[in-house]
């Protein structure tokens, strides 16, 4: 999905489409740096498109952070699919990546796999304000409880902008 398609959908202002693409690029760089803290294996992260939809609640296994800036609130949420978790586990525990990653779709994630996933997502959420500030030139801070609730007399419209990142560990994604 291109920034022109997002503008054409009327969901995001035209002035923000370049910022959205730049934001996804910045988050890819941040995700790459965070992943390299977990493993010495080769890691590459690339942006894989944007989509815009009405606001939805984050997935239950996501990690999120609520931020506030002079331009308004932002609530990024991060999730990792099963293939990323499996590849990260192999890489973090010294695997060589010579075998294809185990799918494991028939079983829930183990406690160790969930902890590693949660640590990755929390580290990514923690580094997001700096990536946003660098990319957008806007300082973000964590929202306090009273900043999380919009004033009752204001109408607040929220959209969900979803950016997908492709993560390559050992050459597979």
């Amino acid at each position: 999905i291109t920034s022109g398609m997002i503008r054409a959908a009327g969901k995001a202002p035209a002035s923000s489409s370049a910022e959205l693409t730049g934001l996804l690029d910045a988050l890819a760089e941040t995700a790459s740096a965070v992943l390299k803290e977990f493993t010495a294996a080769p890691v590459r992260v690339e942006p894989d498109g944007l989509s815009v939809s009405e606001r939805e609640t984050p997935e239950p296994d996501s990690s999120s952070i609520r931020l506030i800036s002079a331009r308004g609130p932002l609530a990024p949420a991060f999730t990792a699919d099963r293939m990323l978790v499996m590849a990260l586990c192999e890489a973090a525990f010294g695997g060589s990546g010579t075998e294809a990653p185990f799918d494991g779709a028939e079983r829930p994630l183990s406690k160790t796999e969930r902890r590693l996933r949660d640590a990755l997502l929390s580290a990514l959420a923690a580094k997001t304000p700096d990536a946003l500030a660098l990319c957008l030139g806007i300082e973000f801070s964590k929202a306090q409880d009273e900043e999380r609730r919009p004033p009752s007399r204001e109408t607040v419209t929220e959209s969900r902008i979803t950016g997908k990142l492709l993560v390559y560990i050992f050459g597979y994604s």
Side-chain angles (χ1 to χ4, degrees), residues 27 30 65-67 76 78 123-135 138-142:
L27 289 176
T30 301
I65 184 171
R66 182 81 172 164
L67 305 172
F78 304 94
L124 185 56
K127 293 193 179 202
T128 297
D130 292 337
L132 293 172
L134 189 63
C135 171
I138 303 167
E139 291 299 317
F140 286 87
S141 60
K142 289 185 182 177

Side-chain angles (χ1 to χ4, degrees), residues 6 14-15 25 107 116 124 132 143 145 159 169:
I6 293 171
S15 64
D25 290 340
R107 67 165 179 82
L116 191 57
L124 185 56
L132 293 172
D145 286 338
S159 294
I169 301 176

Side-chain angles (χ1 to χ4, degrees), residues 77-147:
F78 304 94
T79 59
D81 68 11
R82 180 175 209 86
M83 290 297 289
L84 174 60
V85 173
M86 295 298 163
L88 180 61
C89 285
E90 182 177 348
F93 293 113
S96 63
T98 55
E99 296 182 26
F102 174 67
D103 183 2
E106 63 278 353
R107 67 165 179 82
L109 292 176
S110 71
K111 187 183 249 186
T112 301
E113 292 162 344
R114 285 192 315 269
R115 283 183 177 170
L116 191 57
R117 177 206 58 206
D118 293 348
L120 170 69
L121 297 177
S122 293
L124 185 56
K127 293 193 179 202
T128 297
D130 292 337
L132 293 172
L134 189 63
C135 171
L136 302 175
I138 303 167
E139 291 299 317
F140 286 87
S141 60
K142 289 185 182 177
Q144 302 299 319
D145 286 338
E146 62 273 5
E147 293 172 318

